[in-house]
């Protein structure tokens, strides 16, 4: 669509009502009803002028439930320069000053409604959010903090649950597991992703080059391996200097039946043990955190530990 000329733009702003509307919408989203209150004009008049402003690309609207919200558009430079001049003059007028007072009142009322809601629901807010959106969706959102250029290793990937969570937020996920059956389940789960690579391999001998990962995860796997020290050393080998390693596993527990029923070799790990193993493997900046148990969980309590591969090896004397 051909852009309006500067003369057409000037003609569209020549009507004072349209300039007042644009001033109110400069930095705010408002409904037609709210604009009627700000300018103290009937809806038919406001709607007619909004149509002209929309046709001239001064404003745009979006649907929000049953309402249309209007906002000033991002302008090209000729239109932006014109608007700066008009806004400077318009802001000095008595009408604009009164419009601003009424707009401030509307914005205060919005905040009051929101504050009243939260005051009334503070004691049930967590439950309400869980009912609407499910549990721990906030933790999934935190994956957006990951660097989108990273290559992340999902070590002992199992059926691909962790890889599935990571893939939308990073450049590539390399999912490794020693079980062909697990990898086949992961393949079915992850077929929609084109940035996940599945590799068969043991944790003690990862099919990955030195320093090839920006980060690596090891989720509920360490208690299954015969030699945790070897696994952590291998994780250190494949994580680049400055890269991160995160493991999640069980705290020490007394469920001896897990050895026979689920193939567990170790009955959990304590803080000092894990810290010592990671230090021996060559990691530093180790952080250990016990997770809050879920109300419906039946297994032992869990911990998460994170560590960093040092930027440079210590000097040898």
């Amino acid at each position: 669509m051909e852009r309006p000329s500067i003369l057409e733009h000037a003609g569209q702003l020549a009507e004072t009502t349209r300039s007042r509307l644009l001033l109110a919408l400069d930095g705010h989203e408002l409904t037609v009803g709210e604009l009627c209150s700000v300018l103290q004009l009937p809806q038919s008049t406001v709607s007619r002028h909004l149509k002209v402003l929309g046709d001239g690309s001064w404003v745009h609207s979006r649907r929000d439930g049953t309402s249309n919200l209007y906002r000033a558009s991002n302008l090209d430079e000729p239109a932006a320069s014109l608007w700066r001049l008009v806004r400077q003059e318009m802001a000095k007028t008595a009408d604009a000053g009164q419009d601003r007072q009424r707009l401030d009142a509307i914005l205060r009322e919005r905040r009051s409604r929101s504050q009243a809601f939260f005051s009334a629901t503070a004691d049930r807010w967590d439950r309400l959010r869980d009912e609407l959106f499910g549990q721990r969706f906030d933790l999934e959102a935190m994956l957006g903090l990951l660097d989108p250029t990273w290559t992340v290793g999902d070590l002992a990937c199992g059926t691909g649950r962790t890889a599935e969570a990571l893939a939308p937020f990073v450049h590539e996920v390399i999912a490794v597991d020693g079980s062909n059956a697990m990898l086949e389940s992961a393949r079915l789960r992850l077929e929609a992703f084109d940035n996940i690579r599945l590799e068969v391999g043991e944790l003690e001998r990862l099919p990955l080059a030195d320093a090839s990962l920006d980060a690596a995860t090891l989720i509920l796997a360490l208690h299954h391996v015969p030699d945790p020290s070897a696994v952590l050393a291998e994780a250190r080998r494949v994580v680049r200097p400055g890269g991160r390693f995160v493991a999640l596993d069980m705290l020490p527990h007394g469920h001896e039946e897990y050895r026979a029923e689920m193939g567990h070799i170790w009955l959990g790990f304590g803080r000092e043990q894990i810290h010592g193993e990671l230090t021996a493997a060559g990691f530093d900046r180790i952080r250990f955190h016990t997770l809050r148990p879920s109300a419906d969980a039946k297994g032992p309590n869990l911990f998460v530990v994170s560590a960093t591969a040092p930027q440079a090896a210590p000097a040898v004397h």
Side-chain angles (χ1 to χ4, degrees):
M1 184 174 65
E2 186 178 351
R3 290 180 177 177
S5 69
I6 194 66
L7 292 177
E8 290 174 312
H9 274 317
Q12 290 156 355
L13 293 187
E15 164 60 55
T16 302
T17 300
R18 291 197 280 271
S19 294
R20 289 171 63 194
L21 282 170
L22 196 55
L23 192 63
L25 292 170
D26 197 357
H28 303 285
E29 276 192 318
L30 301 170
T31 65
V32 171
E34 288 171 333
L35 286 167
C36 291
S37 297
V38 170
L39 272 68
Q40 293 190 324
L41 291 172
Q43 181 173 334
S44 58
T45 301
V46 169
S47 296
R48 183 174 73 254
H49 287 298
L50 283 174
K51 174 69 166 57
V52 175
L53 290 172
D55 291 344
S57 300
W58 291 103
V59 302
H60 64 275
S61 66
R62 67 179 180 89
R63 196 75 176 166
D64 184 53
T66 59
S67 301
N68 281 325
L69 286 169
Y70 288 85
R71 190 182 187 96
S73 300
N74 293 322
L75 304 173
D76 58 22
E77 186 48 39
S81 297
L82 175 62
W83 171 236
R84 283 193 291 269
L85 292 172
V86 174
R87 179 176 57 191
Q88 184 177 0
E89 294 301 314
M90 192 68 211
K92 301 174 184 177
T93 66
D95 282 343
Q98 293 174 17
D99 290 348
R100 180 70 228 186
Q101 291 177 359
R102 289 187 288 266
L103 174 59
D104 287 344
I106 287 172
L107 297 177
R108 285 196 300 272
E109 173 61 21
R110 282 185 181 178
R111 285 190 290 270
S112 296
R113 289 198 303 268
S114 180
Q115 289 169 355
F117 168 77
F118 286 117
S119 296
T121 60
D123 59 342
R124 56 190 177 93
W125 176 235
D126 286 345
R127 178 170 57 83
L128 178 61
R129 288 206 308 177
D130 289 348
E131 290 173 356
L132 289 173
F133 308 114
Q135 293 186 349
R136 306 330 303 261
F137 61 88
D138 48 341
L139 295 185
E140 293 186 34
M142 294 305 102
L143 291 169
L145 295 171
L146 293 173
D147 191 317
T149 67
W150 275 5
T151 295
V152 180
D154 179 12
L155 312 182
C157 67
T159 60
R161 185 174 179 177
T162 300
E164 181 182 34
L166 291 168
F169 301 98
V170 298
H171 173 67
E172 183 181 28
V173 179
I174 304 175
V176 181
D177 204 279
S179 166
N180 285 313
M182 285 287 191
L183 284 174
E184 186 55 35
S185 294
R187 197 180 311 279
L188 294 173
R189 181 182 206 140
L190 304 171
E191 60 184 359
F193 294 94
D194 60 5
N195 66 332
I196 299 178
R197 192 172 94 220
L198 299 176
E199 296 281 357
V200 61
E202 300 299 329
L203 293 176
E204 298 86 348
R205 293 176 298 277
L206 293 169
L208 302 172
D210 293 356
S212 57
L213 301 178
D214 297 290
T217 64
L218 186 66
I219 307 299
L220 290 176
L222 203 59
H223 58 269
H224 281 292
V225 301
D227 188 354
S229 298
V231 170
L232 295 178
E234 186 68 350
R236 170 64 188 88
R237 179 186 68 80
V238 299
V239 173
R240 65 165 175 80
R244 301 287 290 162
F245 172 73
V246 175
L248 182 145
D249 220 293
M250 295 178 293
L251 291 166
H253 61 86
H255 293 274
E256 285 284 348
E257 68 275 14
Y258 286 5
R259 298 186 194 272
E261 294 175 359
M262 292 182 282
H264 291 197
I265 297 175
W266 310 102
L267 298 183
F269 305 93
R271 179 192 297 266
E272 295 303 320
Q273 179 184 3
I274 287 295
H275 194 283
E277 296 278 11
L278 287 168
T279 300
F283 288 104
D284 63 10
R285 294 169 57 191
I286 299 165
R287 299 175 64 187
F288 185 102
H289 179 69
T290 300
L291 298 183
R292 183 177 60 189
S294 174
D296 56 356
K298 298 179 180 178
N301 290 357
L302 302 174
F303 69 86
V304 61
V305 63
S306 63
T308 301
Q311 289 285 1
V316 177
H317 298 286

